[in-house]
Amino acid sequence: KIASFRAGVEATMPDFSAAGFAFDHVIKEQPGKVVIGFTASDNSNSYQLTQQTTNWDNQTMINSIASTYSSGQPNYTTIKAGPNTVYRFDNNDITWISDGTWYQISGTGPLSDSQVKSLVISS
């Protein structure tokens, strides 16, 4: 909460334990941005959740950061998590926008669809 206040972003703390993770620490806070570290409950992988204010909507965000393969297919897949569309770039990187906040998760290990949904819905 303190990092959120100092950064000036409405950062949320997902229910890490419900998804099989544990909060580690606030890695960084700067104006409009907070980065939170969390780990797998068995300490096998670590992750970062970045939350920053944005005026983008999902379409603007995905048009700005995504690309397509030579086949014409996008370099991401989507997951529906409650009302949110989540964009997965590989098994370790996901992003979504909700209520003026851009969320990005990256890590050293894969995230299952159920873990992603749990993290997103509880954010």
Side-chain angles (χ1 to χ4, degrees), residues 3 5-6 10 14 27 37 44 64 68 75 79 90 123:
F5 177 74
R6 288 194 288 217
E10 288 293 323
I27 296 171
S44 61
S64 298
T68 56
N75 69 335
I79 302 168
D90 57 32
S123 292

Side-chain angles (χ1 to χ4, degrees), residues 4 24 27 29 33 36-38 47-48 50 52 60 83 97-98 102:
S4 175
D24 192 5
I27 296 171
E29 61 183 74
K33 185 177 189 176
I36 299 168
F38 62 104
Y47 303 87
Q48 291 185 354
T50 302
Q52 64 188 62
T60 303
I97 291 180
S98 180
W102 181 12

Side-chain angles (χ1 to χ4, degrees), residues 2-24:
I2 294 171
S4 175
F5 177 74
R6 288 194 288 217
V9 62
E10 288 293 323
T12 60
M13 188 69 69
D15 185 355
F16 291 117
S17 62
F21 299 103
F23 170 77
D24 192 5

Side-chain angles (χ1 to χ4, degrees), residues 13-107:
M13 188 69 69
D15 185 355
F16 291 117
S17 62
F21 299 103
F23 170 77
D24 192 5
H25 66 287
V26 173
I27 296 171
K28 179 182 1 180
E29 61 183 74
Q30 61 191 55
K33 185 177 189 176
V34 174
V35 181
I36 299 168
F38 62 104
T39 58
S41 56
D42 64 1
N43 289 321
S44 61
N45 294 296
S46 60
Y47 303 87
Q48 291 185 354
L49 167 61
T50 302
Q51 300 175 64
Q52 64 188 62
T53 56
T54 186
N55 59 2
W56 283 355
D57 60 16
N58 271 336
Q59 194 61 52
T60 303
M61 182 263 303
I62 202 63
N63 288 343
S64 298
I65 67 170
S67 63
T68 56
Y69 296 114
S70 59
S71 66
Q73 294 296 313
N75 69 335
Y76 61 88
T77 57
T78 59
I79 302 168
K80 199 69 173 153
N84 299 299
T85 300
V86 181
Y87 301 87
R88 179 192 292 272
F89 286 91
D90 57 32
N91 284 333
N92 305 353
D93 297 307
I94 63 169
T95 188
W96 73 99
I97 291 180
S98 180
D99 297 325
T101 300
W102 181 12
Y103 298 85
Q104 300 166 75
I105 295 178
S106 61

